[in-house]
């Protein structure tokens, strides 16, 4: 090569990097607590497991989606009149907090 023909940044002038075959795996984080402690967390966990929206739960238990959201976020707690519908939705009875 003559100095005018030599291009130091061409691909042929660079050494090749070694290639490695590896796979990263991580557990997909859940958008809810694995071990719920409040009624709202139990509702959220069940809803996410069933892949339901709050609107879907609203129709199932006849409780507004906004109320369900407030329970899930811990902004409020259900009153005793809601317990039967919640128990039906969860599929189990729990100690309400």
């Amino acid at each position: 090569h003559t100095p005018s023909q030599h291009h130091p940044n061409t691909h042929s002038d660079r050494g090749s990097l070694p290639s490695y075959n590896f796979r990263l795996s991580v557990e997909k984080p859940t958008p809810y607590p694995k071990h719920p402690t409040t009624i709202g967390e139990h509702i959220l966990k069940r809803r996410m497991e069933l892949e339901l929206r709050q609107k879907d739960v609203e129709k199932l238990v006849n409780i507004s989606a906004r109320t369900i959201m407030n329970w899930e976020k811990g902004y409020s707690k259900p009153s005793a009149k809601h317990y039967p519908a919640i128990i039906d939705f969860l599929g189990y009875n729990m100690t309400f907090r």
Side-chain angles (χ1 to χ4, degrees):
H1 293 292
T2 63
S4 63
Q5 293 174 329
H6 182 69
H7 300 285
N9 292 330
T10 63
H11 181 67
S12 62
D13 289 338
R14 287 186 239 152
S16 62
L17 296 174
S19 71
Y20 298 98
N21 291 324
F22 62 93
R23 179 182 303 207
L24 294 176
S25 65
V26 294
E27 185 176 323
K28 184 178 177 181
T30 56
Y32 55 85
K34 287 186 178 185
H35 305 289
T37 57
T38 67
I39 186 63
E41 289 174 349
H42 280 271
I43 293 168
L44 174 62
K45 181 176 187 277
R46 178 73 172 149
R47 182 173 67 79
M48 298 305 288
E49 289 171 343
L50 296 174
E51 298 181 359
L52 298 173
R53 299 170 301 157
Q54 290 164 336
K55 281 284 208 190
D56 301 325
V57 177
E58 174 182 51
K59 293 173 187 171
L60 291 172
V61 297
N62 199 29
I63 298 167
S64 78
R66 179 176 287 288
T67 298
I68 293 165
M69 180 202 65
N70 287 333
W71 294 344
E72 289 179 353
K73 292 186 178 279
Y75 297 155
S76 63
K77 296 179 183 178
S79 63
K81 71 180 182 180
H82 294 119
Y83 290 0
I86 293 168
I87 292 166
D88 285 344
F89 174 69
L90 294 176
Y92 58 88
N93 194 350
M94 59 163 286
T95 303
F96 292 98
R97 295 184 196 185

